[in-house]
Amino acid sequence: MQIYGLCFIVEQEIKPIPLQNVAVEANIVDMIAEVTISQVYKNIEEDTIEALYKFPIYEAAAICGFEAEIDGQRKVKGIVKEAKEAAKEYNEAIQKGHGAYLLESESEDVFQCSVGNITSGQTVVIKITYVTELKHDSESEKIRFVLPTNIAPRYGSSEYSSSSNDGKILNPDVVSYSNKADFYLELAVTCRMTSAIQNIESPSHKISTEMNIEGNPKISKITLTEQITYLEKDFILVVKSKDLDQPRAFVEYNPETQTNCIMLTLVPKFSLNTTISELVFVVDRSGSMGVEPMKKAAQALELLLRSLPEDCYFNVVSFGSDYDSLFPKSELYSETTLSEALNLAQTMKSNYRGTKVYNVLEWVFKNSRDDMSTSIFLITDGEVRNVDQIVELVSKHEEEKNDDLRLFSLGIGDSVSHNLVESVARAGKGYAQFVTNDERMDKKVIGMLKNALKPPIKDYNITWTEVNLLDEKELDMTPIEVDKPTISFMSDDNIEPPPPPPSDIFTDIKVQQAPYIIPPIYSGVRFIVYCILEKNIEPWKVITLKATSQDGPMKLDIPLDPVTLQGSKIHRLAARKLIQDLNDKKSFIHKHPKNANKHIPDSLVKEHIVKLAKTFNLASKYTSFIAIDERNNESLFESQIIPQIREVPQLIKSYGRRRMLTGEARQEDYLKSLCSFNGSMDGLEKLIEGLSVSQQEVNVIHKEPKIENLFKFLKLQSFDGKFLPNETFYEFFYKNYLDGFNNFKQEIEKELSELSEKEIEEILTSCIAIAYLKIVMFDDFKDECEMCYEKAEKAFKKMIGNNEKEKIIIEKAEESIKNWVNNSD
């Protein structure tokens, strides 16, 4: 049945949806954002209703505020309580006829707002506030603000079932959907940066930007230029600001807890020698990938394959409900294996049905090589439910390979699951990047490949205080109750006895680094670490970061900003990381050397999460926000009936399939009809004489720095970096070859008279290619083609073997390409 407008069906009756609109106000300060979401609910029915609305929040966010405003007259502020207790109070308030408002966490990135006992005609505005750190975008000095708006349908089910729901109101894994949703999004973003704002853009929506607010180049305001449906697609904003990547260390004093919290952040830039690696590309081909995301993933895979170094091993694995690999085991990169992989990339379709990420990653781990480091690239829309199970799998194998396994993830699409993409990369000690359907991913995947080919950096250490308090000697000797398995009344199977109660688990740490295990540092990727210091402990004036690389020790001193910030934002972000550590079993309780080989009971983990959440006012797996609007006797009489439940649906999109006939496809048909080319100048002259005028006009566009031209040109490169002399290569540049390039060939022959005709031809095409990439493509697409350029340069140097002659020939090639570009014929 088709569902239209703001309504849904209950017992075959069309019912209005109580959510009227959503307004978002975001304040961005450098790499931190504070966001307030206002959800307006109105009951236009005669009966009292209860509105249930599941919505997404960015997975790194710390939800720290919850407030209800009733009929614009009174406000009720939510407080954090244990989830079970909060749900009980909510139910009791509903039964008594009071207004009750509850915010619960289903997963790291999905929450439910329950708005109980909305009387007829009543309007309730729910305000949810959260703080979040912002991701670095692929280019320097840029941050990426993401506002998730849609919970896409997810494959499978999570372990988080109603039987283990800890007494919450929400029904796990259940989301209502409609093919149309007409409540709208109002959006206002204010950017206040430390340095001048250079550019603001949105790859997802049309925006209106007001720069230089009150004459200040560091402040700008952003709004939407058109009214949009809230559930349409994620909103993304990219802000470029001067010196945003520079190393910085801030300290914030929280008057409520009387503690200091330090935030260390930088986008590092360093160079390390590459190492021989195994590279496995795991590509999501499930139905949810649709047409455009699948096409983008295939294009990115093709660029990655062409950019691989000669001495690596690689494999391509496709997955959906099932999975299959290109090779049984990773193969050495060669002309043959590259050709097979490119053929697969160019024929990929999203026809593998469901999304079973666990199964395919398990196969990849079991079949990875043991004699070299392995880097896995997961390209997916992340629409699965069993995230925790997948993360545990990745963590287990990463620890087994002891820093010789890394997993990088790329999330594709307009409503990607950030939770899966971020979580597996974090567990795999890689990092995550995201692209919408309207963004190019080439620069991001090549950046990942460059980092994957460098050996891991190890032995991280940060000095936060004058004395290193991370190595605490005191022990908290408090006995801890251990979780025990439930014994069935109808089974005499022996139950394995629980481990003895740990009386010496180390929990009393005075310096809480978050995350406890310092995340890997990658060139060009934002690095953020926090540290909460116990009361009366002062931070060191210079924060020192140290590590060890294959090429030698690494060190950076970052002066602490002399101005102490006041408030709780940085504390809350740090607490969010500490909770994330506890959920991931990576916390100081789990990983401190003093707790090695000790059983850490779930009850202790829960206790610490609840303590952090209550201290810093955060929603979490074990804590919820609850607000009660106690009503007078008259109001109670009106509302003291069982409210009718109204669930707010998510928008579900259908993926249409379409076939495109491109000019490039027609071009390939033309090339197939060309006569055989013998690699000589005579053959080339015959080839060019046969070109039609329309074909000559097509080739003029190759002078333009367009990504399509770059991809077409890179198809001419061999696996070893050479650009071989054939009809396709010369046809790319067309007739200027005869006058300009022919003269250039004669000059090469003079310089390298001892070489054969075939060797001269290979040198000619390779140096022309190097010059073309540098002169035509580098200004706009250096990151995308740099690895292919380096392969070509390496092959060219091997062919020449003389530095002086290399330089002369390259200079002449560059001159030749400049003449070709400037020639209007």
Side-chain angles (χ1 to χ4, degrees):
M1 182 179 292
Q2 197 85 357
I3 303 174
Y4 296 96
L6 222 56
C7 60
F8 68 106
I9 296 170
V10 177
E11 296 178 355
Q12 303 305 313
E13 279 188 77
I14 295 178
K15 297 291 183 182
I17 289 172
L19 183 60
Q20 301 290 297
N21 86 303
V22 178
V24 177
E25 185 178 326
N27 288 288
I28 296 174
V29 180
D30 291 339
M31 69 293 301
I32 295 176
E34 182 178 57
V35 182
T36 299
I37 301 174
S38 298
Q39 302 167 351
V40 180
Y41 298 85
K42 184 169 183 178
N43 182 7
I44 58 175
E45 301 182 55
E46 293 182 359
D47 297 326
T48 297
I49 65 170
E50 178 184 10
L52 307 178
Y53 175 40
K54 284 189 180 180
F55 58 96
I57 292 285
Y58 191 68
E59 74 102 34
I63 296 185
C64 55
F66 182 71
E67 180 183 276
E69 181 181 291
I70 300 93
D71 285 334
Q73 297 175 352
R74 58 191 183 279
K75 295 180 180 179
V76 185
K77 192 173 182 179
I79 58 175
V80 173
K81 295 192 176 184
E82 280 198 50
K84 191 172 184 178
E85 181 186 354
K88 182 183 177 184
E89 288 188 16
Y90 175 85
N91 283 326
E92 288 175 351
I94 293 291
Q95 291 169 6
K96 292 176 182 178
H98 296 302
Y101 317 104
L102 181 69
L103 180 70
E104 298 175 310
S105 167
E106 175 172 311
S107 64
E108 298 292 313
D109 62 344
V110 175
F111 289 78
Q112 176 169 297
C113 186
S114 303
V115 186
N117 282 344
I118 312 177
T119 57
S120 180
Q122 191 175 63
T123 299
V124 177
V125 179
I126 298 293
K127 291 187 178 180
I128 300 161
T129 301
Y130 67 85
V131 289
T132 184
E133 59 189 43
L134 302 179
K135 286 189 71 69
H136 173 74
D137 205 58
S138 57
E139 294 183 30
S140 60
E141 315 288 3
K142 284 189 175 183
I143 50 95
R144 185 181 181 92
F145 170 71
V146 179
L147 180 72
T149 62
N150 182 268
I151 306 172
R154 298 184 180 180
Y155 185 83
S157 62
S158 69
E159 296 176 347
Y160 194 19
S161 66
S162 56
S163 61
S164 60
N165 199 22
D166 207 25
K168 293 180 182 177
I169 298 297
L170 62 81
N171 191 0
D173 294 348
V174 175
V175 181
S176 298
Y177 287 94
S178 167
N179 66 349
K180 190 172 182 181
D182 288 338
F183 44 100
Y184 293 99
L185 172 67
E186 296 173 16
L187 178 72
V189 181
T190 302
C191 293
R192 291 181 176 85
M193 313 303 277
T194 301
S195 300
I197 297 171
Q198 297 171 321
N199 185 48
I200 297 176
E201 59 188 4
S202 172
S204 60
H205 294 82
K206 293 179 181 179
I207 57 172
S208 174
T209 304
E210 186 181 352
M211 306 283 279
N212 297 310
I213 302 297
E214 297 178 357
N216 190 338
K218 303 175 185 178
I219 304 177
S220 65
K221 291 187 177 181
I222 302 97
T223 55
L224 294 168
T225 57
E226 56 187 1
Q227 194 176 45
I228 63 166
T229 303
Y230 182 49
L231 296 180
E232 186 184 67
K233 59 182 176 179
D234 293 353
F235 173 79
I236 297 168
L237 191 72
V238 179
V239 181
K240 183 177 177 69
S241 177
K242 192 174 182 295
D243 299 329
L244 200 55
D245 294 353
Q246 293 303 304
R248 299 166 76 181
F250 310 93
V251 61
E252 175 189 76
Y253 179 74
N254 185 342
E256 291 185 13
T257 58
Q258 298 181 358
T259 55
N260 287 309
C261 182
I262 309 165
M263 176 182 182
L264 171 64
T265 179
L266 66 145
V267 177
K269 296 175 183 176
F270 56 86
S271 179
L272 296 174
N273 292 316
T274 58
T275 186
I276 297 175
S277 302
E278 176 188 30
L279 301 145
V280 183
F281 304 101
V282 183
V283 184
D284 187 346
R285 295 176 61 181
S286 62
S288 63
M289 287 286 285
V291 177
E292 286 306 313
M294 189 71 260
K295 181 180 175 183
K296 293 173 79 68
Q299 287 177 342
L301 176 61
E302 185 172 345
L303 180 59
L304 284 166
L305 292 168
R306 294 189 183 281
S307 301
L308 295 180
E310 280 184 78
D311 54 1
C312 76
Y313 288 77
F314 80 103
N315 204 349
V316 180
V317 186
S318 302
F319 78 95
S321 294
D322 300 306
Y323 59 86
D324 51 58
S325 61
L326 181 61
F327 310 116
K329 291 269 189 180
S330 293
E331 296 275 352
L332 182 65
Y333 189 62
S334 67
E335 194 70 59
T336 302
T337 54
L338 173 61
S339 177
E340 289 183 58
L342 289 174
N343 182 60
L344 174 63
Q346 290 161 5
T347 56
M348 278 187 167
K349 294 180 180 178
S350 54
N351 56 355
Y352 276 45
R353 305 183 305 282
T355 313
K356 293 186 177 180
V357 180
Y358 184 95
N359 295 355
V360 67
L361 287 182
E362 187 176 39
W363 183 90
V364 170
F365 293 141
K366 287 181 179 177
N367 289 275
S368 63
R369 296 180 66 94
D370 295 324
D371 56 345
M372 61 183 66
S373 64
T374 300
S375 289
I376 299 167
F377 295 79
L378 176 63
I379 304 174
T380 180
D381 59 11
E383 294 173 4
V384 298
R385 294 192 186 278
N386 60 333
V387 176
D388 292 345
Q389 186 185 12
I390 296 167
V391 169
E392 283 184 17
L393 176 74
V394 175
S395 294
K396 173 190 168 187
H397 286 277
E398 187 280 323
E399 289 179 5
E400 286 176 357
K401 289 206 73 169
N402 192 25
D403 290 329
D404 281 333
L405 173 70
R406 289 178 290 179
L407 189 150
F408 301 85
S409 54
L410 183 72
I412 301 177
D414 291 334
S415 53
V416 63
S417 168
H418 290 83
N419 187 24
L420 173 78
V421 177
E422 291 280 9
S423 296
V424 293
R426 189 168 59 247
K429 292 193 174 178
Y431 63 90
Q433 290 277 23
F434 297 87
V435 288
T436 67
N437 291 339
D438 299 320
E439 290 180 285
R440 294 213 63 88
M441 67 173 71
D442 318 301
K443 186 175 293 189
K444 294 181 179 181
V445 296
I446 290 300
M448 282 183 168
L449 179 59
K450 288 177 181 177
N451 281 318
L453 291 170
K454 295 170 184 174
I457 299 171
K458 304 178 181 181
D459 305 325
Y460 293 97
N461 180 264
I462 300 176
T463 304
W464 302 101
T465 56
E466 185 175 0
V467 179
N468 189 0
L469 295 171
L470 278 172
D471 295 327
E472 285 290 340
K473 303 205 185 292
E474 308 96 282
L475 300 177
D476 184 348
M477 307 298 287
T478 306
I480 295 160
E481 186 177 338
V482 178
D483 288 345
K484 297 179 180 178
T486 301
I487 300 172
S488 172
F489 285 103
M490 300 299 295
S491 173
D492 59 358
D493 292 340
N494 289 330
I495 303 295
E496 184 179 339
S503 60
D504 60 347
I505 289 182
F506 176 40
T507 61
D508 185 22
I509 196 163
K510 299 184 185 307
V511 172
Q512 297 190 77
Q513 182 174 278
Y516 176 70
I517 299 174
I518 298 172
I521 298 177
Y522 292 103
S523 184
V525 180
R526 181 165 296 283
F527 172 83
I528 298 179
V529 180
Y530 305 90
C531 190
I532 299 177
L533 307 180
E534 197 175 80
K535 186 178 176 181
N536 298 324
I537 295 179
E538 294 296 321
W540 197 228
K541 289 182 172 53
V542 176
I543 309 301
T544 301
L545 170 64
K546 293 181 181 179
T548 304
S549 74
Q550 180 178 280
D551 298 342
M554 305 178 75
K555 181 181 177 182
L556 181 66
D557 290 329
I558 304 102
L560 189 67
D561 194 296
V563 179
T564 299
L565 305 173
Q566 300 288 319
S568 59
K569 288 187 182 68
I570 294 178
H571 278 77
R572 283 169 170 162
L573 288 171
R576 176 70 182 83
K577 284 286 184 189
L578 291 171
I579 290 173
Q580 191 175 72
D581 264 3
L582 287 159
N583 284 327
D584 293 346
K585 300 180 181 178
K586 302 283 187 182
S587 70
F588 78 91
I589 296 176
H590 295 90
K591 296 300 180 181
H592 196 283
K594 294 184 184 299
N595 291 335
N597 301 318
K598 294 177 184 175
H599 171 70
I600 307 299
D602 291 343
S603 57
L604 179 62
V605 173
K606 178 179 178 179
E607 177 188 320
H608 277 260
I609 291 176
V610 170
K611 183 179 178 181
L612 283 165
K614 286 186 175 181
T615 301
F616 296 103
N617 213 46
L618 301 176
S620 72
K621 179 179 180 179
Y622 298 116
T623 55
S624 304
F625 274 97
I626 176 73
I628 306 295
D629 174 30
E630 295 190 358
R631 295 172 176 167
N632 57 34
N633 291 334
E634 184 178 340
S635 299
L636 283 174
F637 178 77
E638 292 177 6
S639 60
Q640 206 164 16
I641 58 172
I642 298 174
Q644 300 295 307
I645 294 177
R646 302 288 179 257
E647 292 185 19
V648 179
Q650 300 285 314
L651 179 68
I652 187 168
K653 297 179 180 180
S654 59
Y655 296 102
R657 297 186 176 272
R658 57 191 175 89
R659 189 162 178 253
M660 298 174 63
L661 180 62
T662 63
E664 214 169 284
R666 291 193 294 271
Q667 183 89 344
E668 288 174 7
D669 291 339
Y670 169 80
L671 290 173
K672 287 177 184 176
S673 68
L674 290 173
C675 61
S676 175
F677 181 59
N678 60 17
S680 68
M681 298 306 295
D682 291 339
L684 177 65
E685 289 172 4
K686 291 177 182 178
L687 169 70
I688 291 175
E689 287 172 5
L691 290 174
S692 65
V693 174
S694 61
Q695 188 62 37
Q696 296 173 24
E697 290 172 351
V698 167
N699 289 324
V700 172
I701 67 169
H702 293 163
K703 300 178 182 181
E704 300 175 16
K706 293 183 176 179
I707 195 70
E708 294 81 5
N709 290 342
L710 174 61
F711 282 161
K712 187 173 182 181
F713 186 66
L714 292 181
K715 287 181 179 180
L716 308 177
Q717 188 177 27
S718 175
F719 87 101
D720 59 2
K722 294 179 182 178
F723 284 78
L724 301 179
N726 55 39
E727 74 274 18
T728 312
F729 181 88
Y730 291 121
E731 188 266 338
F732 188 91
F733 293 99
Y734 180 54
K735 72 175 186 178
N736 291 84
Y737 179 86
L738 286 183
D739 35 26
F741 295 169
N742 193 21
N743 294 336
F744 175 39
K745 183 193 174 190
Q746 292 171 5
E747 293 181 32
I748 294 177
E749 288 173 337
K750 290 178 185 178
E751 292 286 343
L752 304 169
S753 56
E754 71 279 7
L755 298 182
S756 67
E757 174 75 13
K758 181 182 177 184
E759 289 172 320
I760 295 291
E761 288 281 354
E762 287 186 356
I763 289 170
L764 172 66
T765 51
S766 290
C767 69
I768 288 173
I770 290 168
Y772 175 77
L773 290 174
K774 184 177 179 181
I775 300 299
V776 178
M777 293 296 173
F778 261 30
D779 281 350
D780 295 288
F781 304 110
K782 183 177 180 180
D783 289 334
E784 289 88 337
C785 67
E786 191 170 27
M787 295 189 75
C788 292
Y789 174 87
E790 289 171 357
K791 281 172 65 174
E793 197 174 41
K794 183 179 177 181
F796 175 72
K797 289 181 177 180
K798 194 182 292 185
M799 287 188 283
I800 301 294
N802 183 302
N803 290 341
E804 189 174 335
K805 289 183 178 180
E806 286 170 19
K807 186 177 179 183
I808 292 170
I809 293 172
I810 287 295
E811 285 176 354
K812 292 183 180 296
E814 289 178 3
E815 183 181 345
S816 220
I817 286 294
K818 288 175 182 175
N819 291 335
W820 173 74
V821 170
N822 295 328
N823 193 326
S824 59
D825 294 338

